Amino acid sequence: MTHLSPLLIAPCGINCGLCIAYLREKNRCPGCRTEDAGSLNAYCVRCKLRQCEDRTGEYCYECAGYPCTRLKHLDKRYTKYRTSVLDNLCEIRERGVAEFVEQEKVRWTCLECGHILSMHRDRCLHCDRTW
């Protein structure tokens, strides 16, 4: 079973621990906060938000330009995955990343087998339960 962690929360608010690239068995992406950029998923390597030089803190909400056009575009794209990066960042800002991760554990745990669900799939990767 994969465990969610504050270290898996990207600067943009995406929970890398819910990504199919992180959850898969082969060629697992370690999450965008890794020190080993060579092991990142190809999409994450090119991510402008991950590499943003304008960000002044750990998360995008700490930037003077928040929310930027790129972040708004990402938020629109991720609604199909039942995730809002803007809502995630708001929760992190208001409650802290540790409490946000605890909420994520409850929200994204399969009720059938107890494994973490992938935001990119509508079925549990372990027991195939639709959610």
Side-chain angles (χ1 to χ4, degrees):
M1 186 172 347
T2 305
H3 297 283
L4 298 181
S5 159
L7 297 174
L8 292 172
I9 308 303
C12 66
I14 288 177
N15 184 340
C16 293
L18 305 175
C19 179
I20 192 69
Y22 178 81
L23 292 170
R24 67 184 172 215
E25 295 294 322
K26 286 181 82 175
N27 301 318
R28 177 179 285 172
C29 179
C32 76
R33 290 193 182 272
T34 185
E35 298 294 323
D36 180 13
S39 62
L40 281 173
N41 170 308
Y43 172 81
C44 297
V45 168
R46 296 185 310 270
C47 179
K48 300 290 185 195
L49 290 167
R50 186 180 75 78
Q51 303 171 39
C52 183
E53 293 178 8
D54 294 332
R55 190 177 61 250
T56 56
E58 193 172 353
Y59 299 102
C60 290
Y61 71 79
E62 298 170 287
C63 180
Y66 174 78
C68 68
T69 303
R70 280 191 176 112
L71 193 61
K72 289 178 190 176
H73 179 70
L74 182 67
D75 188 64
K76 276 187 182 176
R77 283 189 23 231
Y78 268 72
T79 58
K80 68 182 173 187
Y81 302 126
R82 299 167 294 271
T83 299
S84 167
V85 296
L86 295 175
D87 288 351
N88 287 358
L89 288 168
C90 182
E91 290 292 320
I92 293 166
R93 181 178 52 211
E94 290 178 8
R95 294 192 167 89
V97 70
E99 189 171 324
F100 171 73
V101 169
E102 290 306 311
Q103 289 173 206
E104 290 282 274
K105 286 177 185 176
V106 172
R107 179 177 177 212
W108 294 96
T109 296
C110 178
L111 297 175
E112 186 74 27
C113 70
H115 281 85
I116 296 297
L117 299 165
S118 170
M119 73 172 76
H120 297 117
R121 300 292 185 267
D122 63 356
R123 295 181 170 277
C124 177
L125 300 174
H126 297 275
C127 71
D128 209 36
R129 177 183 185 264
T130 303
W131 61 281

